[in-house]
Amino acid sequence: MVALTDWTLLATLVLHFLLDVSSGLVPKVGRNNLIRQAAKYTSDTREEEDAIVNEYEKSLLNMFGLKRRPTPEKDFQVPRIMQHLYKAHMGDYYEPEPKIVTSWETGFDLPHEDITSRVNTARSYHHEDNEEHYPGMPSNHIRLRFDISTMPSEEVIGAAELLLHREAVWHHVTSGQGHMHRLNIYEIVKMPPDDGGRAGSRFGSRPQPITRLLDTRLIDTRNTTWERFDVSPATLLWSRVAHKENHGLVVEVVQEDEQIPPQGDAERHVRLKRDVHHDVSDREWVHLRPMLLTYSHDGKDTSLRRRKRSSRNRDSSNSSSGRKNRRKKRKRRNVCQRHDLYVDFAEVDWTTWIVAPPGYDAYYCQGQCPFPMSDHLNATNHAIVQTLVNAANSALTPKPCCVPTELGGVPMLYLDDKSKVVLKNYPEMAVQACGCR
């Protein structure tokens, strides 16, 4: 049972979090406030008060899946793909955010619902630029190696996608080359020995890695879009082994008819490496470079499927039932019900690492649980009996308390303490219904 004073304290703490820069989520101002509150429950020793506050801070960090407060660089660029993933997830609830681009990326949306219904986290990873090649690597092959070792150990990968951006090219079409190319995605199972020994391979005569085909697609080079490839088997394996055993992927681009590497502009239409795109700025390259998207679950009960606006909330303010409900609420202002509470991340200085939303409606429960209990109070049988006992003799037991009976999740797009971009649904963040308990 949560008393009214506890919810008031929670609202106060939320508004005092992160009022200055700190390595933790509870900085000096908020920490001093918590210590004063903790003093009510201890023998008034600073060690005990600090211990209580430390445990509270651990709970906060654990809630966000962090080890410390994220401190990204000021000019950190959030890839547009992750911004669009947030938009796609929000669905009907989406309203443009100051930090979110408003145009849609061609060829990108949420993955199929059979994936999003069983995950609650999406993470993005860029490849390691210094490992794009290996000795004897053909010109139409690029190695992409992603370090996913920063993923929390409790998260289980449900799916993973490789995203490659490409721009339409026409010169090779007018010169007689075909416009249909094939992209093949291979997992590197084992790298060749360092002693120069020979190992037969389809890639050439020099020692080459052992690979297996993960996905392939025939593409039309006259279109500008993102291409998405299923690399779940490889990524799931990487999550279970050390990073040195993660050898990465190989992307192969060939002309469909001849099975030979494309030439000229056709060779460069898939943006696989930075050095062949000297016309793209560093800031723009962040949004175009290859990306690995992982979809995982941390064991908490909120999925990443597209959010839909509830039909019971639509146009209620314009309906006769909505007007009747407002009149009833005015008559029972002191009765247990949900009240507005908006948490503004700018006020608590969380906007340095939370990209979207700028805040959210948390709500809180407040009001009396009078006798007799009405149906709208959503009381339990125990609360009804407790009310009867209190009505007979208030000295025996207090009245039931007004508390949340239904809580909803809130999606957040943010930078974690490793400066990785994450989209996550956090459960039990907003009150959806109140009742007497």
Side-chain angles (χ1 to χ4, degrees), residues 370-414:
F371 176 82
M373 288 284 190
S374 302
D375 290 341
H376 72 270
L377 294 180
N378 194 21
T380 60
N381 291 339
H382 180 273
I384 294 174
V385 172
Q386 183 176 337
T387 300
L388 289 172
V389 174
N390 173 267
N393 187 347
S394 60
L396 293 177
T397 180
K399 292 182 178 180
C401 296
C402 180
V403 299
T405 57
E406 185 178 348
L407 296 166
V410 173
M412 292 185 185
L413 179 65
Y414 66 96

Side-chain angles (χ1 to χ4, degrees), residues 221-357:
T221 61
R222 297 171 296 181
N223 299 325
T224 297
T225 187
W226 282 91
E227 298 291 349
R228 306 165 69 170
F229 301 90
D230 184 3
V231 293
S232 302
T235 310
L236 184 59
L237 177 62
W238 299 340
S239 68
R240 298 171 177 172
V241 300
H243 180 52
K244 65 180 181 179
E245 299 179 56
N246 166 7
H247 304 300
L249 307 170
V250 170
V251 181
E252 177 187 42
V253 185
V254 296
Q255 289 184 226
E256 176 62 13
D257 295 337
E258 292 84 3
Q259 289 293 307
I260 60 175
Q263 303 296 322
D265 291 339
E267 179 185 7
R268 299 190 297 271
H269 73 98
V270 183
R271 294 184 181 272
L272 296 177
K273 53 184 179 180
R274 178 71 178 88
D275 57 350
V276 298
H277 301 293
H278 53 82
D279 59 323
V280 178
S281 67
D282 290 340
R283 292 177 65 86
E284 185 64 14
W285 178 237
V286 171
H287 304 293
L288 300 176
R289 64 186 297 183
M291 178 185 294
L292 177 71
L293 273 182
T294 62
Y295 303 95
S296 56
H297 203 289
D298 62 3
K300 299 178 181 179
D301 298 329
T302 305
S303 68
L304 201 63
R305 73 179 71 190
R306 184 190 299 273
R307 290 161 58 90
K308 292 295 183 183
R309 191 188 304 274
S310 174
S311 59
R312 66 183 179 182
N313 293 328
R314 292 177 179 171
D315 303 323
S316 61
S317 61
N318 297 325
S319 65
S320 59
S321 60
R323 289 191 293 272
K324 291 179 181 179
N325 289 336
R326 289 199 300 275
R327 286 197 294 269
K328 290 180 180 180
K329 286 183 178 180
R330 283 195 292 270
K331 294 180 180 179
R332 57 172 192 262
R333 286 181 178 177
N334 295 327
V335 176
C336 176
Q337 58 189 291
R338 190 176 75 163
H339 296 267
D340 291 336
L341 171 62
Y342 182 77
V343 179
D344 190 337
F345 293 144
E347 292 184 4
V348 297
D349 195 28
W350 277 8
T351 54
T352 57
W353 56 282
I354 292 182
V355 180

Side-chain angles (χ1 to χ4, degrees), residues 73-102:
E73 299 178 359
K74 291 184 178 180
D75 59 348
F76 189 93
Q77 294 287 303
V78 177
R80 284 193 294 264
I81 279 294
M82 291 301 290
Q83 299 180 37
H84 287 295
L85 187 65
Y86 173 80
K87 290 170 59 177
H89 170 63
M90 291 302 294
D92 292 343
Y93 281 100
Y94 176 72
E95 295 180 2
E97 313 282 2
K99 294 184 179 181
I100 299 292
V101 294
T102 56

Side-chain angles (χ1 to χ4, degrees), residues 171-178:
H171 293 91
H172 67 291
V173 177
T174 58
S175 64
Q177 298 184 44

